[in-house]
Amino acid sequence: MNKQNNKIISFLRSKAIRPLTFAELTQALGVAKEKLAAFSNALNELIVSGEIIKTRENRYALPAKFDLFTGRLSCHRDGYGFVSPEEGGDDIFIPARFLRENMHGDRVTVRIEGDRGSGKREGRIIRTLERGYSKIVGRFETSRNFGYVVPDEQRITHDIYIPLSAFGKAKSGQSVVVEITGYPTARGYAEGRIAEVLGWPDDPEVEVKTILAKFELPHVFSPGALEEARAIPQVPKTADMKGRADLREYVTVTIDGESARDFDDAVSVRKEGGMIRLWVSIADVSHYVKEGSLLDMEAYARGTSVYFPDRCIPMLPEELSNGICSLNPHVDRLAVTAEMLFDPAGEMVEARFYPSVIRSRARLTYTTVRDLLENGPGDNSGIYEVFGDDLFLMKVLALRLMEKRRKRGSIDFDLPEPEIILDLQGQTEAILRAERNIAHRVIEEFMLAANEAVASYIHDSNTPSLYRIHENPDPVKLRDFREFIFNFGYEFQMDGDRVEPGELQRILRQAEERPEEKMINEVLLRCMKQARYSMENLGHFGLASSCYTHFTSPIRRYPDLVVHRILKLILAGKLKESGRERLEKILPETAGHTSGRERIAMEAEREIVDLKKLQFMKDKIGEEYDGFISGVTAFGFFVELVEYFLEGLVHVSSLPRDFYHYAEKQHSLVGEHTGETFRIGEKIRVRVARVSLEKRQIDFIPVDDEISPEAGKPARRKPDLKTADAHRREGTAGGKGKSAKKGKKGKGFKNPTRGRLR
């Protein structure tokens, strides 16, 4: 938004006590006669965007002054929806009867028309400002004289009517992309034409195509970008190394997952008395990807690499991501290094940053490093002999850093990711709980330290930059959380609407190893806002950090690339006043764009993992499993299986012994007559009733071994969790995990640490 638009909105917000005419606005803002046309254009732009309202009497005001709000519509598959106001505040409920002309994702103006109780507002859409979708991915079905597309996105509740002339080459049952030619009206269907046939939905390759199309993920590099990438030499030039610190003689290693192919970061340590010096060297992607180049524009459009179970959709072409920018072992690579010195308490006493040239001595994996640190040499005696001392020193430093973060209140959720094991045909063999061991923590702590050090250095230089921020939790949700955990004997202090992160970390530590541990982690996580990028340094609540950024993954995250460029400009003394002004102009848009791309990537990754889970369970109907209740809603509760890391729904209609009512603050369903309670965190045994790929849903029903004589109340069998936990510890899933994970047949996948908070 330009300065003129900001000025108009600021005036209407703070000084306008009634709707104003055009003449009154121009007079109040002192608009010169020769600038009236430009002012009128700015005003019309704000009207079109929905940021101001023009009344029938040709007067102007902010929508909120008329109880009107602008925001994105989010629909539920049952027909109703919510609008999240762009200016913040609680969502506005939209009944299904007011959604006949709108679809999920539309940007709309809403008028408040009632109160649903407890301060929850109900509204009606009065204007559609922008459509959320122009193309939709779904399943094509045919009738005698027409066809229709059932959207894959469950929140799009309108099927798309396809006239016979718009079928193209699509066949009934295929996955397609439909271009919308007419949006729904009060009396008519949404209409479209088949723009692309993706193929048959049970083909693993079509599954990927479907997700790429649904989330509009760029996955083919332009010829120009590829030409630029291929023109870059795969060996650093001698000239490129001039002026760089030469770290090639240092014992530097990379530590990543077994299937990783792009290596952003390498680490090195040295003991100095009671202190430890750490070098975190990050691939110098900015040396090869110049701002404004075709490669840069492609990277910006993608924003981030996207990770699917069987592939990566990279931010940069393979020539860079797996080639010259990847810190592969035994080859020279250009890097940007953060060199830090830590005292015995884990406090950073010194930091400096510089361009460097490094040579990694080894490509180590998390599994190998964990085995060395926990079990000694074993089968890795050669690696132990060369790197053992350094790895143990890394562990010492990581533990110091972890303890320091714990003391300052950093929140560490213990919520692992699923690991999908695929066979050679792309079918799911097993779903495991991804391991988070000491090797992961070593690298995590080192990257956190480097990110924080770089952020503080840039901030202290008073240079505009991108920060990774995490705002304070919603106070209403926090109070509900405090009330909920009080029933388990936990409590924490709030200072008005705020809470110190250390208070919440204390609760998580108290819950460790207790039955309600996962439940408390899950419920607290739902209180948290999602971390995002911002030019304004608002601090990072989850890390209890006053200054944080992303610096350590420029191969796969565009914000890191931006931070590298800014850091190098500062180090070279080349940032002039004009450069600062330019950064102030472009960084807000960069922050918003990359935050949005990150959310889209997370949704796409989550969706394909959920699809793999459904496919894995489709032949297990009738089988019984132990689990625990992982979430409760008014329509039922979700159960996470112990043996497999996946969830299914127990619908309230499958609980025939009573009428069950939702106790929102207690995260429970409570029987009206029996008092039987299904509460989050509770153990339960279930049977697989249905698996619906169309609804993206697994349905469970509870298994009752016997009925107690008390009011017919079911006595649930206590699950045998020991066996399943043993499988998890041993890296197996019902006996399949080891061979699937390590054998020639299988392929493993774990999401990289992305997370809502960090």
Side-chain angles (χ1 to χ4, degrees):
M1 186 185 298
N2 59 40
K3 290 183 180 179
Q4 178 77 289
N5 292 10
N6 275 327
K7 191 174 180 180
I8 295 171
I9 289 176
S10 178
F11 176 80
L12 290 174
R13 179 181 293 118
S14 60
K15 296 185 178 180
I17 60 174
R18 58 181 173 80
L20 301 177
T21 65
F22 182 82
E24 289 170 333
L25 261 179
T26 55
Q27 183 178 355
L29 291 170
V31 180
K33 186 177 293 186
E34 64 271 14
K35 294 185 177 180
L36 285 177
F39 183 82
S40 178
N41 290 336
L43 207 57
N44 288 331
E45 184 180 304
L46 290 170
I47 293 169
V48 170
S49 69
E51 292 173 90
I52 65 173
I53 293 291
K54 182 179 181 181
T55 70
R56 295 177 182 176
E57 293 77 27
N58 294 324
R59 292 176 177 270
Y60 303 89
L62 296 180
K65 300 292 185 180
F66 296 102
D67 280 340
L68 300 177
F69 296 89
T70 297
R72 287 284 174 186
L73 173 64
S74 178
C75 293
H76 189 275
R77 63 186 180 190
D78 289 340
Y80 58 84
F82 294 89
V83 171
S84 301
E86 291 176 348
E87 292 189 355
D90 293 336
D91 291 351
I92 302 163
F93 175 76
I94 311 295
R97 64 183 182 276
F98 295 147
L99 288 177
R100 295 190 182 97
E101 299 180 34
N102 286 93
M103 299 170 66
H104 171 74
D106 288 352
R107 186 167 176 265
V108 297
T109 298
V110 178
R111 180 173 61 224
I112 303 298
E113 295 203 337
D115 193 312
R116 301 176 64 217
S118 303
K120 296 180 179 179
R121 301 171 294 179
E122 183 173 309
R124 179 174 190 162
I125 295 172
I126 63 168
R127 184 181 176 193
T128 301
L129 302 170
E130 177 188 333
R131 290 294 184 175
Y133 292 88
S134 60
K135 292 182 178 180
I136 289 174
V137 177
R139 187 184 72 256
F140 179 57
E141 300 289 351
T142 57
S143 185
R144 179 174 298 177
N145 298 313
F146 66 93
Y148 59 94
V149 171
V150 181
D152 278 358
E153 173 56 74
Q154 296 289 299
R155 292 171 293 183
I156 299 177
T157 55
H158 297 269
D159 290 349
I160 314 300
Y161 168 78
I162 310 294
L164 196 62
S165 60
F167 282 16
K169 296 182 179 180
K171 298 178 181 178
S172 186
Q174 287 186 317
S175 292
V176 299
V177 178
V178 57
E179 181 182 339
I180 300 176
T181 57
Y183 289 91
T185 64
R187 297 183 179 179
Y189 298 103
E191 187 171 324
R193 68 172 189 86
I194 304 300
E196 183 181 357
V197 177
L198 299 174
W200 299 103
D202 55 352
D203 181 344
E205 198 60 34
V206 173
E207 293 169 2
V208 174
K209 288 182 181 179
T210 299
I211 299 296
L212 293 174
K214 177 177 178 179
F215 292 94
E216 298 182 344
L217 294 173
H219 60 285
V220 177
F221 289 101
S222 69
L226 288 175
E227 186 177 346
E228 284 186 1
R230 289 164 184 161
I232 296 172
Q234 288 298 301
V235 177
K237 298 177 183 177
T238 303
D240 294 337
M241 300 184 190
K242 289 183 178 179
R244 292 177 176 267
D246 191 342
L247 306 183
R248 285 176 288 185
E249 297 304 314
Y250 288 47
V251 179
T252 302
V253 297
T254 61
I255 305 176
D256 292 275
E258 278 78 2
S259 60
R261 295 177 60 199
D262 54 338
F263 309 121
D264 292 283
D265 54 89
V267 294
S268 181
V269 290
R270 184 173 71 203
K271 192 171 183 0
E272 298 184 1
M275 298 188 180
I276 300 175
R277 189 173 295 274
L278 168 67
W279 289 265
V280 174
S281 295
I282 307 300
D284 191 357
V285 178
S286 65
H287 180 82
Y288 299 102
V289 181
K290 302 300 183 183
E291 188 173 2
S293 66
L294 294 176
L295 279 171
D296 182 53
M297 289 187 281
E298 285 268 4
Y300 179 79
R302 296 171 186 235
T304 179
S305 296
V306 185
Y307 294 86
F308 289 168
D310 62 345
R311 71 194 69 192
C312 168
I313 312 300
M315 186 180 81
L316 295 169
E318 187 172 346
E319 288 82 358
L320 281 81
S321 59
N322 299 341
I324 188 62
C325 290
S326 184
L327 305 182
N328 299 328
H330 314 303
V331 293
D332 293 346
R333 287 291 184 260
L334 305 184
V336 179
T337 295
E339 180 184 331
M340 298 158 283
L341 181 65
F342 297 92
D343 68 15
E347 291 288 341
M348 188 177 69
V349 297
E350 177 186 308
R352 64 192 190 103
F353 313 93
Y354 45 82
S356 61
V357 55
I358 71 166
R359 180 179 293 174
S360 170
R361 298 284 185 91
R363 177 264 199 271
L364 303 179
T365 68
Y366 292 124
T367 302
T368 300
V369 173
R370 178 207 61 194
D371 290 344
L372 288 172
L373 293 177
E374 294 182 354
N375 305 318
D379 295 332
N380 299 301
S381 57
I383 296 175
Y384 187 89
E385 183 177 341
V386 177
F387 303 109
D389 290 343
D390 292 273
L391 293 175
F392 276 98
L393 188 58
M394 290 179 189
K395 178 181 177 181
V396 169
L397 177 57
L399 293 176
R400 289 178 182 178
L401 295 174
M402 287 169 60
E403 180 61 16
K404 177 194 160 231
R405 282 202 305 111
R406 185 194 67 78
K407 286 181 177 178
R408 80 182 187 193
S410 180
I411 301 173
D412 190 9
F413 286 97
D414 188 16
L415 294 170
E417 299 278 352
E419 181 176 1
I420 307 294
I421 307 300
L422 303 177
D423 62 20
L424 295 178
Q425 286 71 46
Q427 301 299 324
T428 307
E429 274 195 355
I431 301 171
L432 312 177
R433 183 183 295 264
E435 182 184 24
R436 186 179 176 214
N437 58 48
I438 183 60
H440 292 88
R441 292 181 180 274
V442 165
I443 294 302
E444 181 177 285
E445 291 299 331
F446 291 177
M447 298 307 113
L448 290 174
N451 285 334
E452 199 165 31
V454 169
S456 297
Y457 178 78
I458 294 176
H459 184 265
D460 291 346
S461 74
N462 198 30
T463 303
S465 187
L466 283 182
Y467 295 93
R468 181 68 168 176
I469 66 169
H470 183 224
E471 294 153 291
N472 291 319
D474 182 281
V476 174
K477 293 181 179 179
L478 272 179
R479 291 192 184 96
D480 288 345
F481 175 68
R482 184 169 62 175
E483 184 177 333
F484 169 65
I485 65 173
F486 184 78
N487 299 321
F488 293 91
Y490 301 94
E491 53 184 324
F492 62 88
Q493 299 298 317
M494 290 182 67
D495 183 10
D497 287 344
R498 297 176 63 88
V499 64
E500 291 297 321
E503 280 288 278
L504 302 181
Q505 177 62 17
R506 181 177 57 79
I507 296 298
L508 297 181
R509 289 179 67 87
Q510 287 181 7
E512 286 179 1
E513 306 299 327
R514 298 182 64 173
E516 65 270 15
E517 177 184 8
K518 179 176 172 57
M519 169 187 62
I520 287 177
N521 272 267
E522 291 277 6
V523 177
L524 177 57
L525 184 62
R526 293 169 194 169
C527 298
M528 297 291 174
K529 295 181 180 179
Q530 187 168 337
R532 61 185 176 90
Y533 298 104
S534 172
M535 195 181 82
E536 186 179 2
N537 177 27
L538 301 178
H540 197 294
F541 179 84
L543 293 173
S545 175
S546 61
C547 194
Y548 189 70
T549 193
H550 273 169
F551 159 77
T552 55
S553 295
I555 289 178
R556 67 178 181 90
R557 290 190 306 226
Y558 193 82
D560 303 54
L561 178 55
V562 172
V563 170
H564 272 239
R565 288 171 176 159
I566 293 170
L567 176 62
K568 288 170 69 177
L569 282 173
I570 297 171
L571 294 173
K574 294 181 178 179
L575 189 62
K576 299 179 181 179
E577 190 58 36
S578 59
R580 292 176 184 274
E581 292 176 359
R582 182 175 173 279
L583 287 174
E584 288 176 350
K585 182 178 180 180
I586 67 172
L587 287 179
E589 182 179 338
T590 302
H593 171 76
T594 53
S595 294
R597 295 308 303 174
E598 178 189 41
R599 286 191 290 272
I600 290 170
M602 290 173 66
E603 289 178 17
E605 291 168 353
R606 186 182 303 118
E607 177 146 333
I608 200 162
V609 167
D610 288 345
L611 179 60
K612 293 296 183 184
K613 291 177 179 180
L614 288 161
Q615 293 171 341
F616 179 64
M617 294 299 291
K618 66 184 179 182
D619 62 349
K620 294 175 175 58
I621 294 174
E623 295 186 17
E624 297 180 8
Y625 299 95
D626 294 324
F628 56 89
I629 298 174
S630 55
V632 182
T633 70
F635 55 83
F637 55 85
F638 292 92
V639 174
E640 182 180 314
L641 302 186
V642 173
E643 186 172 351
Y644 302 120
F645 193 42
L646 54 80
E647 281 186 332
L649 174 69
V650 175
H651 197 274
V652 69
S653 62
S654 67
L655 306 173
R657 304 182 191 282
D658 203 344
F659 296 104
Y660 288 86
H661 303 286
Y662 179 42
E664 183 176 3
K665 292 183 178 180
Q666 285 73 42
H667 296 264
S668 303
L669 284 178
V670 182
E672 182 177 320
H673 301 288
T674 63
E676 182 181 28
T677 300
F678 294 93
R679 184 166 60 180
I680 191 170
E682 183 179 277
K683 298 173 183 177
I684 188 170
R685 188 167 179 83
V686 294
R687 180 182 299 118
V688 182
R690 283 171 297 278
V691 177
S692 173
L693 294 175
E694 290 76 22
K695 293 183 178 180
R696 297 289 196 268
Q697 184 173 302
I698 302 170
D699 288 330
F700 295 145
I701 56 175
V703 175
D704 299 325
D705 285 352
E706 58 183 56
I707 304 298
S708 72
E710 299 176 352
K713 183 178 178 180
R716 295 185 215 120
R717 188 175 80 184
K718 184 177 180 181
D720 177 13
L721 301 183
K722 183 177 180 181
T723 302
D725 280 342
H727 284 320
R728 284 181 176 174
R729 285 193 300 271
E730 294 166 8
T732 67
K736 295 181 181 178
K738 274 189 177 176
S739 60
K741 189 172 183 180
K742 295 184 178 180
K744 295 179 181 179
K745 182 180 178 184
K747 188 178 203 178
F749 161 76
K750 285 184 276 190
N751 270 338
T753 302
R754 189 185 293 277
R756 290 184 56 185
L757 301 184
R758 293 176 180 170

